[in-house]
Structure formats: C-alpha cells, structure tokens
Amino acid sequence: MVSRSYSNLLELASGESPSFGRMSRRIPRIMTVAGIMSDIDDDPSESVCSDPSSSSTPKDRIIIVANQLPIRAQRKSDGSKSWIFSWDENSLLLQLKDGLGDDEIEVIYVGCLKEEVHPNEQDEVSQILLETFKCVPTFLPPDLFSRYYHGFCKQQLWPLFHYMLPLSPDLGGRFNRSLWQAYVSVNKIFADRIMEVINPEDDFVWVHDYHLMALPTFLRKRFNKVKLGFFLHSPFPSSEIYKTLPIREELLRALLNSDLIGFHTFDYARHFLSCCSRMLGLSYESKRGYIGIEYCGRTVSIKILPVGIHMGQLQSVLSLPETEAKVKELIKQFSDQDRIMLLGVDDMDIFKGISLKLLAMEQLLMQHPEWQGKIVLVQIANPARGKGKDVKEVQAETHAAVKRINETFGKPGYDPIVLIDAPLKFYEKVAYYVVAECCLVTAVRDGMNLIPYEYIISRQGNDRLNKLLGQEPSTPKKSMLVISEFIGCSPSLSGAIRVNPWNIDAVADAMDFALEMAEPEKQLRHEKHYRYVSTHDVGYWARSFLQDLERTCRDHSRRRCWGIGFGLSFRVVALDPNFKKLSMERIVSAYKRTTTRAILLDYDGTLMPQASIDKSPSSKSIDIINNLCRDKNNMVFLVSARSRNTVAEWFSECEKLGLAAEHGYFLRLKRDAEWETRVPVADTTWKQIAEPVMQLYTETTDGSTIEDKETSLVWCYEDADPDFGSCQAKELLDHLESVLANEPVTVKSGQNIVEVKPQGVSKGLVAKRLLSIMQENEMSPDFVLCIGDDRSDEDMFEVITTSMAGPSIAENAEVFACTVGRKPSKAKYYLDDTAEIVRLMQGLASVSEQTVTV
C-alpha cells in the first residue's frame, strides 16, 4: 500500500513529499545532481504521494534490500563534480522489478552504491536517488565497508558457504571477531535506512543474499509483525561444514526471524533444515506442499525455486545491430574456418573450475587427436568480485595452462584455447552464445549460475540471426550443455550432460559425447530446456516468491507478538490470541476459591525434563505431590506412558496419588488399590510380529533402543543422530503399519519415539475415568488442572475442554488445560518449561499445606 512513513529522507526535500517519476520499462534513465534528467516522464498521477486529489489507485509496495543498488554511478566529465546515475540493466534486482510489473506493485530499493560518495554529497545524492529511482542508498565508511564486504563476506562467509574450510591461513579466512562486528554493524545500518521508508503494517521487505543475514533480526526487533522474506543466492553448506562457524547459531536465529526463506535447490534447503535440527533442535513439517519450521509459535516457511533470467532483456539484446555485427565476426572467425566453438563464461575465482575445464580440454585433444585443429574453447573470464591471494593464483594458473595447451596443440592460425580476460559488454557475450556449439560450466560449487539459461535462449535466436547462421526459420534449434552437478541450475536442466568437474576424464568424455551427439537428439534436448527456461523466468520467480510471502504473512494481524532474548538471539513469540501463558496469580487465586479439585499431570517432559538422564522423581517432587494429595479437596492423578511397575516403584511414597500407566491402559486410584484396565485385556501376540521389525531398525540405527511394556512396544531414538533417527522413524512407522494392519493395535509417533499400543488406549480415558468417579461421588469439580507436553496429552486436553459443557464438571468451574512450550495445542494455556511447571505445583502445594495445617 501507499507508504505513510517517509521520515528523515523526506526532510531532505525541505519537507515536501517526493514526486516519483513513472518507471518506464525502457532503461537506462539518467539524472545528474544538478537536476538534469533524461527519459523521465513526470506524470503526477503516478506519484506515490497520498494526495486526496490523485486518481491513482494505491499499489502494494515491496522494499528490496541487497548489498548493492541496481544503479550505475559516475562523475560527469565536465569537471562539475556532479553525478550521473543510471539503471544497471544487468542487475537481477532491476530485472526482478520489471518481472513484477510497474502497474501491480511499487518497488523501493535499499543498498549501497558501487562508488564512494563524499559525506558532503550524501544528502543530495540520497534525495535524487529516492525521488528519481526510488532507491535508498546506504552509505558506509570505506574502512567499515572493507571489513564487512572484503573481510567477513568474501573471506569468511563466501568460502565457507562454498565448502572451503579455513584449515590453514591460506585456505579461507580464519574467523575474526572484529570482522564479524563490522558485519553486524553494517546490517544494523541497513536496518536504520529501511526504517526511514517502511510502513510496517503494509510493506513487504525482501532481503537478498548472505551479505545481510543478520538484518532480519534488527527488523523483527523493531517491528514484530514485519512482513519479511529472505532469499539466499549462494549455496547453503551441509551441517558438517556450517557448524564450524563460531557464530553459527546467531546466523540461524537471524534467518529464522524472516517469514519466508528462499533457496535455489532442495539440497541447499535440506542443509539449512538439518542445521536448524542439529543446532537449535527445531523440526520441520511439510503441509500441502509447503515446508515450515515452527519457531516460537511462528511458522517460518521454506521456498525452493531457482531464479530465472529476464527474457525480454535478453531477446532485446539479441535484436541489437551490435549483436548481429559481432555474430558475423565470430562466424567468420570460427565457422568459416571449419572450427567448432566450445564456450566457457566464468568469473575468475577459485570455485568456477576454469583450470579443471582447461585440463579436460587438454585431455580431449590428447585422447581424440581427430579434434585437433577443429575445436576451439573460448574461455571468457569475468573479473573476480573479491580480492586476495587466491584470485591471483587462479589467474596465474589459468594463463599458464592456456599457454601450455596452445603450445602443445596449436599451429599457425590455430589456438585450441582463446582466453578473453578483459571485460566484455553483454551483447558481445550473447554473440558468443549464439555461435557456440556447446557451453561448458564446470564450477566446483556455485549457488545458481545463469550462464546455461542465457546460452539456451541465445541459441533459440531470432529470424535475423538464424539467417546469418544459414538456418531456415522452420529449422529446429539445437544447443548442448556440459554442466557441473555442483551448481544450482543443474537439477532444472535434465537434458544437460552432468559431470563431476573434478573427474577430468569424465569431463573430457562428456565434451566428446556432446560433439558427437546426433542432431535430432541435440534438438530435443534444446527444446526441453527452452520450454523450461522461457516459462520459469525472473518474473515467474519473483511473483512466486511474493505470493508465498503474502500467504505466510496472512495471519500476522491476528497474532499476539512479543520479543524475547538479547542481541542476535532475539526472537519474536507469536501466539493465537486465545493461547495465553498460565498466570501463577490467577491459578493460585482460583485454587484458593475452589473446594473440589481434579489435577491431572503428565510425567516425562512435564514434571521431568526430557533431557534428564535419571528419570526418577526427586525427593522435592515427591514432597510436592504428597502435599497436594493430603489436601482433602484434591484428587490428583499422574498419567504416564511408562509401565505400571516403574511408576508404582517411583511413587511408592505417595499414598493417595492416583496413577495411570501405559497411556491409561492401567489405572490405580491410590497406592493400596488394585490396578484396573480401561479396555478389555489385550492380546499381545502382535509383539511377535512387531519386535523383530523394531529390532532390525535398532541394529541399523546407532543410539536407538526398544522398551517392552506389558501392553505396548516403544522404539526410542532420543540418543540417535537427529536426522537419521527421524528418517528411520518414518520408515519404521510405515513398516509397522503395513505388517500390523490386521492387528488390534495403533502405531503412533511421538517425541523421539515410535509406539505400538492397543487400539482405544489414550490418556483421554484417564481424564474421563477421573471425572466420572468424582461425579459418581457427587463431587463434580469446580477446579480442573491438566498439564502435559506432547501429542499423547492432547487427548486429555480435548476431554477436559469438551466436558466443560456437561454435568461432569461444575458450572462456572475454573478449568486450566496447559501444555509445555509454545506450540499448536488443544490446550488454552502454556508454560515455558518443566522448571515453571514445578514452580507452579510448588505454589499450589504451599497453599494446600497451609490449609491442612490450619
């Protein structure tokens, strides 16, 4: 919606509202600080100002945040020191905006300029960029920017995310606390700039890439309900790599302050989910095709969708006269000389595998001498984005390999490798795509890499280029791709020849296979790729992401939110308005007012922490329970999944405590009473089928155990690897459901367990039995407290809640169904952990103790 908050930045415009010019699809557009604009249409009806007289319809607005603005900046050459700004047509962020459409959504950019701007000029530049380009520049001191970008981002995060561990000072940067502090400081500065333009109730914020991973925390801290998406354009490493990062939890928690987190591939998302499981103990669920992580009552959605290219821009470049002229030149240089061009386009960095590609070319020429003099590998090396010793080493290695291969296999008028390490204009690259018979991408690790997509669209060409290539309009197009299996676009290009770039022989064979492939096969593969790339463009990607972000944020307004934690451990707790924390004052007050009380308590995870090794109750717990039981107004039941022998032994000192064992199959009203069963005596012959199956999974899952109870069998994987244990549990659940389909049992999964128990057995039976006993004795309770922590306790909550309208509970009774932890539940109350449960029970026990004494 139209923003109502342009504070600070608008003060630069002397208190007047900005009048944004209409953002035409045609770019670039230029404006100088002196105020000379070109290609701008000042149509007041397109202004974003909230002018009542304006007839424009308010548009949804998104704030796109990235390290760099999609803006080119340069000084005027007339000596006036004024700036010339224009759109950077090659920026993904600008293409993203064009894909969304100007008429549907308004886009504001926040980021840095590539050029340094003197502090005296920053206010003026900010005003111009905001009013003309809807860009909010973030100005960073040169030293801070260097430590943030070239230091932490490029020397620590970027190598680690590309699987390079700092095993020695030469192999990636060792963690440096001061560089990390610079990174956090810059992320906070970005948050400050966003504050100046955001309307938190309406605007969506979309943060891009690893440079700003801490930003979601700063935004969420200021606006608990901010609509925030994050997309990671780099790989996300496996947990074994990621967990070496000293600030691993801080970054994970920062990302989880987003509403939607996007990744190019399932592998990257899977690694992130694994890290959340192993380091934060968070699990994820897939519901109706959407993956979500439950985090403090919020559902953080995971989006898996590779970015696409800007079809319109690429097709317009293909139609340029300059492109046509360059294609003619390349045809003359290669095709007319009976030379087949193979093409590589890569940044000059250690992860793009340029040297591996050259070695494969060398191997191909050695193994297949018939290709000598016929094929040429044109390697376009884009300038590296980072700095450092590794870049210089890659450059030296590349030049040495090119020199060696050309000296070995070259001859007058023929060099098998043409290295272009000077910057090329985009239309020149496109011309190379058009002429190349095969494109090679052998990166050892890359987030996405859109080179194959650009190559496919370029090979589709147009009528004028087809004519130059000697093709009829009706001739099917063809293209061949040899791509690394370690790049993000690999899964979406199923017709490409996928290779392990480290296997030089395999890459050489793949190149030969691509060259020898039959024409119809090349055409079929090209057609399949073209269909995918042309329909999954950058606009499709952006619209899909924003639709999911809107869906994820839909219930923000009805949630109660508050922040907890300090620094980068800050997080927001979001709960349904009816789901409240149980107040000690309220329950104690109700406890004192009432005279007939029913208390149902789970044990494991409620009175006893799940992580505790010794599960037996402490003397303090026994004293609390006994004080509650001695109160003649109380009827207390402890409901456990454990065997009756175990609970009977642990609570032998509690004379008046009612016990329910094995989820309520066995029930005892007090210590001296006989055990009764709530369902017919179970036939346990099914154990002969289930136990061997469980035993098989126990042998193959290190850390798992089997607990054999009287009426049930439990497979526990609490001490197993969390990912493997969870995977095995799902398999075991399916396996047991299959083999026990005709037996009178149910198979259920719980917290780190898979359990088989008789049908009809649940903790809800205990709640029903307790209420019926009290009703039979004409003691309908006016106070009911039921506390549990997992799925099995939900049956008790349901019985308690539905009984409120019936005769088994007194009219106007105080009913408290309480779960442990903030999570979806049928209970209306929660407490954070077992320590709070124990404090609550201790408080109630103290009231009872005083009553008994009096």
Side-chain angles (χ1 to χ4, degrees):
M1 294 299 177
V2 174
S3 174
R4 298 188 292 273
S5 174
Y6 281 105
S7 61
N8 297 353
L9 276 181
L10 292 188
E11 293 171 8
L12 300 173
S14 303
E16 296 180 4
S17 299
S19 178
F20 299 125
R22 179 166 50 205
M23 307 295 261
S24 166
R25 295 281 176 98
R26 202 166 141 246
I27 46 182
R29 175 174 299 132
I30 299 171
M31 175 173 181
T32 67
V33 169
I36 301 172
M37 284 182 264
S38 70
D39 218 13
I40 296 282
D41 181 3
D42 291 323
D43 184 348
S45 69
E46 297 292 331
S47 169
V48 300
C49 303
S50 301
D51 184 357
S53 64
S54 172
S55 59
S56 61
T57 303
K59 296 185 284 188
D60 286 338
R61 197 174 76 159
I62 180 168
I63 299 172
I64 294 178
V65 192
N67 178 53
Q68 284 190 345
L69 289 171
I71 293 287
R72 290 195 182 100
Q74 63 185 74
R75 293 282 189 186
K76 287 189 72 176
S77 57
D78 60 5
S80 63
K81 291 188 177 180
S82 57
W83 288 94
I84 297 176
F85 299 108
S86 61
W87 288 115
D88 180 359
E89 296 180 37
N90 296 326
S91 169
L92 173 67
L93 303 182
L94 183 63
Q95 296 171 1
L96 178 160
K97 171 185 177 294
D98 209 36
L100 290 173
D102 290 341
D103 297 333
E104 299 174 16
I105 195 162
E106 178 193 342
V107 176
I108 287 185
Y109 294 102
V110 178
C112 298
L113 288 168
K114 296 176 185 176
E115 305 296 327
E116 185 182 343
V117 178
H118 191 276
N120 294 341
E121 301 174 288
Q122 288 176 2
D123 284 354
E124 194 173 9
V125 167
S126 293
Q127 178 182 345
I128 289 163
L129 288 176
L130 178 64
E131 292 185 354
T132 311
F133 298 95
K134 298 185 184 176
C135 289
V136 180
T138 304
F139 300 110
L140 303 174
D143 175 61
L144 180 63
F145 178 81
S146 179
R147 287 186 291 126
Y148 147 75
Y149 183 75
H150 296 296
F152 193 76
C153 289
K154 284 298 180 183
Q155 293 300 317
Q156 296 186 4
L157 278 185
W158 188 71
L160 188 81
F161 278 30
H162 289 75
Y163 288 73
M164 187 174 178
L165 289 174
L167 299 176
S168 73
D170 294 332
L171 297 173
R174 295 278 175 87
F175 181 76
N176 183 313
R177 182 66 60 176
S178 68
L179 297 182
W180 162 241
Q181 289 167 350
Y183 180 85
V184 173
S185 297
V186 168
N187 276 249
K188 187 174 185 301
I189 291 171
F190 268 83
D192 293 338
R193 295 300 273 174
I194 295 167
M195 292 303 107
E196 297 175 6
V197 293
I198 191 173
N199 175 18
E201 295 177 6
D202 298 322
D203 293 348
F204 292 92
V205 181
W206 188 356
V207 182
H208 289 264
D209 224 0
Y210 63 93
H211 312 92
L212 300 171
M213 290 173 72
L215 180 57
T217 289
F218 292 113
L219 291 177
R220 185 70 61 190
K221 193 169 189 177
R222 299 185 189 193
F223 299 120
N224 289 170
K225 296 183 181 181
V226 65
K227 302 169 184 176
L228 179 58
F230 182 95
F231 198 94
L232 184 68
H233 292 272
S234 78
F236 195 94
S238 69
S239 60
E240 290 301 306
I241 298 290
Y242 180 80
K243 71 181 181 183
T244 64
L245 193 62
I247 40 83
R248 61 192 190 183
E249 290 190 13
E250 288 90 331
L251 286 184
L252 285 180
R253 291 193 183 279
L255 287 178
L256 289 170
N257 276 320
S258 307
D259 294 298
L260 177 66
I261 306 172
F263 300 92
H264 286 306
T265 72
F266 174 68
D267 272 351
Y268 304 160
R270 178 168 56 85
H271 294 156
F272 174 75
L273 294 170
S274 177
C275 288
C276 290
S277 170
R278 291 170 180 274
M279 293 162 214
L280 302 179
L282 302 175
S283 59
Y284 70 91
E285 283 187 343
S286 182
K287 294 179 181 177
R288 296 185 178 180
Y290 296 105
I291 300 174
I293 302 175
E294 287 297 324
Y295 184 58
C296 298
R298 295 172 49 243
T299 299
V300 181
S301 294
I302 303 299
K303 175 79 172 174
I304 302 166
L305 185 66
V307 69
I309 60 173
H310 192 308
M311 288 289 293
Q313 184 207 20
L314 189 51
Q315 287 168 344
S316 66
V317 172
L318 284 167
S319 302
L320 291 175
E322 298 96 315
T323 307
E324 190 176 332
K326 185 65 178 178
V327 169
K328 282 181 184 177
E329 179 188 323
L330 294 175
I331 290 173
K332 186 177 179 181
Q333 182 181 351
F334 294 98
S335 303
D336 291 352
Q337 304 294 324
D338 291 327
R339 305 260 164 80
I340 299 172
M341 185 205 297
L342 308 179
L343 180 65
V345 182
D346 305 277
D347 292 347
M348 185 68 84
D349 71 50
I350 55 176
F351 297 112
K352 294 302 186 285
I354 295 177
S355 60
L356 297 174
K357 188 187 305 177
L358 297 177
L359 291 174
M361 179 68 175
E362 184 178 33
Q363 186 85 336
L364 175 65
L365 294 173
M366 288 171 57
Q367 292 181 345
H368 300 275
E370 67 272 15
W371 289 121
Q372 294 178 22
K374 293 183 179 180
I375 61 172
V376 177
L377 171 60
V378 176
Q379 177 61 55
I380 298 173
N382 302 320
R385 299 179 192 180
K387 299 177 181 177
K389 180 182 175 184
D390 55 328
V391 174
K392 294 177 182 177
E393 289 177 351
V394 170
Q395 288 173 331
E397 184 182 7
T398 301
H399 283 278
V402 170
K403 183 180 178 183
R404 183 185 72 250
I405 295 169
N406 283 343
E407 287 176 352
T408 304
F409 300 100
K411 55 187 178 183
Y414 170 71
D415 283 330
I417 296 179
V418 176
L419 177 64
I420 303 173
D421 60 354
L424 290 183
K425 292 181 179 177
F426 186 55
Y427 80 84
E428 293 179 294
K429 292 180 186 176
V430 170
Y432 278 99
Y433 291 146
V434 171
V435 179
E437 186 69 19
C438 179
C439 183
L440 310 172
V441 182
T442 55
V444 297
R445 190 71 60 178
D446 206 351
M448 182 59 193
N449 200 313
L450 294 173
I451 300 299
Y453 286 16
E454 294 173 351
Y455 170 69
I456 290 161
I457 301 303
S458 299
R459 289 289 287 178
Q460 185 71 13
N462 56 38
D463 290 342
R464 294 176 66 89
L465 293 175
N466 293 342
K467 192 174 180 181
L468 285 177
L469 294 168
Q471 298 174 351
E472 294 293 328
S474 59
T475 304
K477 308 302 182 293
K478 60 180 181 176
S479 61
M480 275 311 301
L481 284 166
V482 175
I483 61 173
S484 165
E485 59 193 36
F486 300 117
I487 62 176
C489 67
S490 176
S492 57
L493 297 172
S494 56
I497 303 171
R498 299 192 184 104
V499 294
N500 173 4
W502 299 102
N503 188 338
I504 304 301
D505 291 334
V507 178
D509 290 343
M511 293 163 69
D512 180 60
F513 181 65
L515 292 166
E516 296 281 10
M517 186 178 290
E519 296 294 299
E521 179 69 13
K522 291 181 181 180
Q523 292 163 0
L524 285 172
R525 292 182 183 227
H526 170 81
E527 183 184 347
K528 184 177 186 180
H529 289 159
Y530 179 76
R531 194 163 51 242
Y532 175 83
V533 175
S534 60
T535 55
H536 292 72
D537 63 353
V538 68
Y540 173 87
W541 170 75
R543 288 190 297 273
S544 179
F545 187 90
L546 287 180
Q547 284 169 5
D548 277 12
L549 180 58
E550 188 174 0
R551 175 190 56 80
T552 303
C553 300
R554 199 169 289 154
D555 65 345
H556 273 19
S557 58
R558 70 178 189 84
R559 290 289 183 118
R560 291 185 303 115
C561 297
W562 65 92
I564 59 173
F566 298 98
L568 287 173
S569 294
F570 174 85
R571 53 213 181 271
V572 165
V573 177
L575 298 175
D576 189 279
N578 298 321
F579 190 50
K580 303 173 184 176
K581 186 164 185 174
L582 188 56
S583 164
M584 175 72 81
E585 292 77 12
R586 183 181 172 191
I587 193 169
V588 168
S589 172
Y591 190 84
K592 288 179 178 177
R593 289 196 311 271
T594 50
T595 56
T596 309
R597 311 184 192 105
I599 300 174
L600 292 135
L601 303 173
D602 175 47
Y603 184 69
D604 289 286
T606 301
L607 294 178
M608 176 61 61
Q610 288 283 4
S612 180
I613 295 175
D614 182 6
K615 301 288 190 180
S616 61
S618 65
S619 56
K620 178 183 175 182
S621 297
I622 296 294
D623 289 342
I624 291 171
I625 290 171
N626 274 330
N627 284 333
L628 289 171
C629 292
R630 288 190 194 106
D631 189 331
K632 60 182 177 59
N633 295 326
N634 292 347
M635 195 158 188
V636 184
F637 253 90
L638 189 132
V639 188
S640 174
R642 294 188 177 273
S643 67
R644 58 175 169 174
N645 291 335
T646 300
V647 292
E649 180 185 344
W650 283 355
F651 296 96
S652 57
E653 297 178 38
C654 303
E655 182 184 351
K656 297 182 179 180
L657 175 66
L659 290 177
E662 300 196 21
H663 292 296
Y665 185 90
F666 296 108
L667 188 141
R668 189 176 75 181
L669 298 179
K670 55 184 179 179
R671 187 177 65 188
D672 297 333
E674 293 292 323
W675 287 97
E676 58 181 87
T677 58
R678 299 308 307 146
V679 294
V681 176
D683 174 11
T684 58
T685 54
W686 56 265
K687 285 188 178 183
Q688 298 170 13
I689 304 170
E691 190 166 12
V693 176
M694 284 190 177
Q695 192 62 46
L696 173 66
Y697 283 81
T698 304
E699 291 170 1
T700 57
T701 311
D702 188 39
S704 64
T705 57
I706 299 173
E707 184 180 358
D708 187 356
K709 303 177 185 177
E710 285 183 69
T711 64
S712 63
L713 273 178
V714 182
W715 186 75
C716 176
Y717 59 98
E718 185 178 5
D719 297 326
D721 177 275
D723 282 346
F724 185 55
S726 176
C727 177
Q728 291 288 80
K730 290 174 185 174
E731 288 293 323
L732 175 60
L733 187 72
D734 288 344
H735 197 159
L736 288 172
E737 284 179 341
S738 175
V739 298
L740 298 173
N742 297 321
E743 300 294 330
V745 293
T746 57
V747 185
K748 288 194 174 183
S749 61
Q751 192 163 1
N752 296 324
I753 64 163
V754 174
E755 183 171 22
V756 185
K757 61 182 181 180
Q759 288 177 349
V761 174
S762 75
K763 291 184 179 180
L765 292 176
V766 183
K768 284 181 181 178
R769 175 62 174 152
L770 173 60
L771 294 176
S772 66
I773 290 172
M774 297 183 77
Q775 187 179 6
E776 288 167 7
N777 295 330
E778 297 183 352
M779 296 171 54
S780 293
D782 52 5
F783 175 98
V784 180
L785 173 62
C786 179
I787 307 179
D789 75 303
D790 66 12
R791 291 179 192 171
S792 64
D793 301 306
E794 295 294 317
D795 295 326
M796 284 198 296
F797 300 149
E798 187 174 14
V799 169
I800 295 299
T801 305
T802 54
S803 299
M804 290 172 64
S808 56
I809 294 181
E811 191 176 352
N812 299 324
E814 298 280 2
V815 178
F816 302 93
C818 176
T819 188
V820 183
R822 305 172 183 87
K823 56 179 180 280
S825 173
K826 292 174 183 173
K828 289 190 176 181
Y829 298 93
Y830 76 90
L831 287 172
D832 286 323
D833 51 35
T834 55
E836 287 195 353
I837 302 291
V838 172
R839 280 197 297 272
L840 169 67
M841 302 315 298
Q842 196 168 11
L844 299 182
S846 298
V847 173
S848 287
E849 192 176 15
Q850 293 168 10
T851 304
V852 171
T853 304
V854 171

